[in-house]
Amino acid sequence: KIEATTNHDTKAVEYWLKGKCAATIHNMAKKLEYLHFGLTSEDVSNLAISLMIKDAQKEVLLPLLERLLQN
């Protein structure tokens, strides 16, 4: 949703994180404006790729290997 508005994946993650933090941590609104300094597109991409690989390993690779070993 957010990415459709911003047309920028990293900015969308920044806005999402700001929303989550603001809802959880009170009186942080001004400080959350600095979130983007520590959030680069490289950070977001590396984390996203790692999570995709982890999911692929769990949902695709390991079940396939288990089936191969059973035969």
Side-chain angles (χ1 to χ4, degrees):
K1 260 187 193 180
I2 300 170
E3 188 177 352
T5 304
T6 62
N7 289 324
H8 194 282
D9 57 349
T10 305
K11 202 60 155 167
V13 171
E14 176 189 337
Y15 289 165
W16 182 83
L17 282 171
K18 281 181 181 180
K20 286 291 187 185
C21 291
T24 310
I25 306 168
H26 303 293
N27 302 322
M28 289 288 292
K30 289 182 182 179
K31 294 175 183 165
L32 287 175
E33 290 304 314
Y34 296 102
L35 181 67
H36 71 276
F37 287 116
L39 183 68
T40 66
S41 57
E42 196 67 23
D43 296 330
V44 172
S45 295
N46 287 341
L47 182 58
I49 290 168
S50 297
L51 291 171
M52 287 188 295
I53 290 171
K54 180 182 172 188
D55 288 346
Q57 177 185 7
K58 179 182 172 186
E59 297 174 18
V60 178
L61 185 59
L62 290 177
L64 178 62
L65 289 173
E66 286 175 359
R67 281 194 306 238
L68 286 171
L69 290 174
Q70 287 175 356
N71 292 331

